[in-house]
Amino acid sequence: MRQLLILFSFLIFACETKEPIPFESGLENYPTLKNVLDSADTYQVQILYTRIDRNEHMNPLMETFSFNLDDERYFYPASTVKLPVAILALEWLEEQNVDNLTLVTPMLTDSVRPSQLPAYVDKSSYDSFPSIGHYIKKILLVSDNDAYNRLYELLGQDYINQKLAEKGLNHTLINHRLSYPADEIENRFFNPIRFVDKSGEILLEIPERKTETVYSNPERPVIGRAYYAGDSLIETGMEFTYKNKFSLSDLHGVVQRIVFPQAFLESERFRINEEHQAFILKYMSMLPNESDFPKYEGPDYYDSYSKFFKFGTDKNPIPDQFRIFNKTGWAYGHLIDGSYFVDYKNGVEFFVSATIYTNRNQTLNDNRYETEEIGLPFFTELGEYLYQLELNRKKVLKPDFEGLKFEY
């Protein structure tokens, strides 16, 4: 059995390095987790887990442990890339310094190419207008693809990738819209956009833009042995050269940066104010049925719709004592979740991120993935296993969660 190895002991205050934690005690109670850990290469599993202690000022002291981590090993990040793009949209907004340009200012997206689609209304918002804030809500509540695409079109590839690199997120590349019929060339063109006030007066107008840089994966990763393109089976692996990349370490780091920005060098932080930080955290942790605008109702939007750890296989309500600040991804047999997990009642907090690949027949786009059989049970059992470790771990000081409680 492999062990969780200490990756780093880091933050503002020194923290004594502890011995590595073996991933063995009690695993007989977690059969799927044990199976995945025993077959780590088959499932391409990677795990990061950060233990948090607080000092007398309630500042975090963190130790991070890893299992099978390899930031050079490609996996498709799916919707997890939406989290850094959502945060960067707020950073961009603050940089504009335009009067009356806010989270709720109507954002009207035009189209000037056949591959582009306009967006002038959004009937799920309180005023029927799209806006940066409303797009972020839809991204974090239900991982809406169109909402992500609109922010991608606003920022463009250069802004996104350069900003992330400046923050030390060096294993990330974001270069395309999601679930959208645009090739790598069309994904380098970005729609013109207007921000207007309620009377229709233009506050900021952004022309069509194009990036000259080709953001691609130089290793030209290939996944699987075959894939479907429409109804045609292609008897070769699918190439991901022009697909997004977001390593587990970078996903973990993004979640840590938004929860505890003070734990990072100023150059590595997202440059957003406290109000915008709280906005992101609120909607990362909000459940779909707690939202009014947009409104998500019905059995499809159960509490664990996008909360994999501990609750991934349970469609019952998540108890109020728990909040999970996270972003998930799910595509091509890959499942990913990067989370800050909190139990307010028992003073438990920890970060955990993981990715798993469940595609036994190695055929992509055939919708025959072991998501229900292996993927979600793995996240459920890993979350429960780590939660029990934390629940039974003695802490000198219990965390103060007041800054992490929101009106939902």
Side-chain angles (χ1 to χ4, degrees):
M1 179 64 62
R2 300 169 187 261
Q3 290 183 330
L4 283 170
L5 303 177
I6 293 182
L7 180 64
F8 56 77
S9 175
F10 146 79
L11 282 213
I12 313 178
F13 301 92
C15 179
E16 182 183 356
T17 301
K18 298 178 175 65
E19 293 298 319
I21 298 179
F23 223 159
E24 296 172 352
S25 177
L27 276 180
E28 64 276 5
N29 298 318
Y30 304 90
T32 302
L33 175 59
K34 186 177 186 304
N35 173 42
V36 169
L37 296 179
D38 285 341
S39 306
D41 290 337
T42 298
Y43 292 108
Q44 300 177 24
V45 61
Q46 299 183 48
I47 303 169
L48 281 169
Y49 154 56
T50 297
R51 176 181 292 172
I52 306 167
D53 289 290
R54 303 288 189 121
N55 68 7
E56 65 273 19
H57 304 292
M58 284 293 107
N59 289 307
L61 304 161
M62 299 193 282
E63 282 184 298
T64 296
F65 305 87
S66 71
F67 177 84
N68 209 38
L69 183 70
D70 183 356
D71 284 335
E72 303 302 326
R73 184 171 189 174
Y74 182 82
F75 63 86
Y76 183 65
S79 292
T80 58
V81 300
K82 297 172 185 175
L83 177 59
V85 168
I87 302 171
L88 285 177
L90 298 180
E91 187 164 317
W92 177 91
L93 179 64
E94 293 186 27
E95 290 171 352
Q96 304 315 300
N97 196 27
V98 174
D99 289 343
N100 300 316
L101 182 62
T102 70
L103 275 175
V104 298
T105 301
M107 172 181 159
L108 309 181
T109 301
D110 294 314
S111 63
V112 292
R113 298 174 66 82
S115 65
Q116 296 176 351
L117 293 174
Y120 305 129
V121 297
D122 188 330
K123 294 186 178 179
S124 68
S125 71
Y126 77 98
D127 60 2
S128 295
F129 284 112
S131 65
I132 289 176
H134 194 68
Y135 284 142
I136 290 174
K137 290 179 183 179
K138 294 168 77 172
I139 285 171
L140 299 179
L141 285 165
V142 297
S143 201
D144 187 279
N145 286 329
D146 180 70
Y148 157 81
N149 292 343
R150 299 308 177 179
L151 297 186
Y152 169 89
E153 292 161 355
L154 170 66
L155 301 178
Q157 289 181 10
D158 288 336
Y159 185 93
I160 293 169
N161 290 291
Q162 291 170 15
K163 283 284 187 178
L164 294 176
E166 288 171 7
K167 300 176 195 310
L169 300 164
N170 296 315
H171 293 91
T172 298
L173 185 150
I174 297 177
N175 59 11
H176 65 90
R177 298 167 176 87
L178 294 175
S179 296
Y180 191 89
D183 62 19
E184 63 271 16
I185 295 174
E186 289 301 313
N187 274 314
R188 296 204 292 271
F189 287 87
F190 312 104
N191 310 42
I193 294 169
R194 291 170 290 137
F195 289 90
V196 301
D197 64 17
K198 298 300 183 182
S199 67
E201 181 178 347
I202 295 175
L203 301 175
L204 178 63
E205 190 166 15
I206 303 168
E208 182 196 28
R209 294 135 292 137
K210 177 189 177 185
T211 180
E212 299 298 333
T213 302
V214 178
Y215 294 96
S216 62
N217 293 298
E219 65 274 21
R220 303 179 73 88
V222 174
I223 296 177
R225 299 185 186 131
Y227 67 95
Y228 278 93
D231 293 330
S232 300
L233 178 64
I234 312 300
E235 297 282 358
T236 185
M238 181 183 289
E239 187 176 316
F240 283 71
T241 299
Y242 298 103
K243 293 290 190 180
N244 293 329
K245 175 183 178 181
F246 194 22
S247 73
L248 196 70
S249 291
D250 283 2
L251 170 60
H252 200 73
V254 167
V255 179
Q256 288 177 312
R257 281 166 172 79
I258 198 64
V259 177
F260 295 128
Q262 75 275 22
F264 291 82
L265 298 174
E266 189 171 349
S267 62
E268 297 178 330
R269 303 174 191 173
F270 290 99
R271 298 180 180 228
I272 60 175
N273 61 37
E274 291 184 0
E275 178 184 353
H276 286 157
Q277 179 198 10
F279 180 81
I280 289 286
L281 289 171
K282 176 178 179 177
Y283 286 96
M284 281 178 73
S285 56
M286 182 181 282
L287 304 174
N289 61 19
E290 293 174 323
S291 173
D292 290 325
F293 296 100
K295 188 71 174 177
Y296 299 106
E297 297 178 302
D300 289 340
Y301 297 110
Y302 45 91
D303 283 5
S304 60
Y305 177 84
S306 192
K307 308 294 181 187
F308 294 169
F309 288 112
K310 185 170 167 42
F311 302 104
T313 57
D314 188 353
K315 294 186 178 181
N316 292 310
I318 295 175
D320 291 341
Q321 73 194 67
F322 297 103
R323 279 290 164 178
I324 304 172
F325 302 75
N326 77 313
K327 186 69 194 76
T328 59
W330 185 339
Y332 298 120
H334 296 97
L335 275 77
I336 314 102
D337 193 346
S339 297
Y340 170 61
F341 190 102
V342 172
D343 174 356
Y344 296 120
K345 179 180 177 181
N346 292 299
V348 169
E349 61 174 339
F350 61 95
F351 291 98
V352 56
S353 301
T355 178
I356 186 174
Y357 179 60
T358 55
N359 188 11
R360 186 178 295 124
N361 68 9
Q362 293 296 307
T363 301
L364 281 64
N365 289 337
D366 65 349
N367 292 320
R368 294 176 61 189
Y369 307 118
E370 296 76 52
T371 302
E372 302 292 336
E373 175 188 347
I374 299 293
L376 290 176
F378 160 75
F379 280 97
T380 299
E381 292 184 14
L382 176 59
E384 181 63 24
Y385 182 91
L386 295 177
Y387 172 68
Q388 292 299 326
L389 283 183
E390 289 290 333
L391 192 63
N392 292 298
R393 187 168 72 86
K394 293 183 179 180
K395 296 183 180 181
V396 176
L397 295 172
K398 281 197 171 184
D400 179 357
F401 290 126
E402 284 309 309
L404 290 165
K405 292 181 178 179
F406 301 96
E407 291 291 331
Y408 297 102

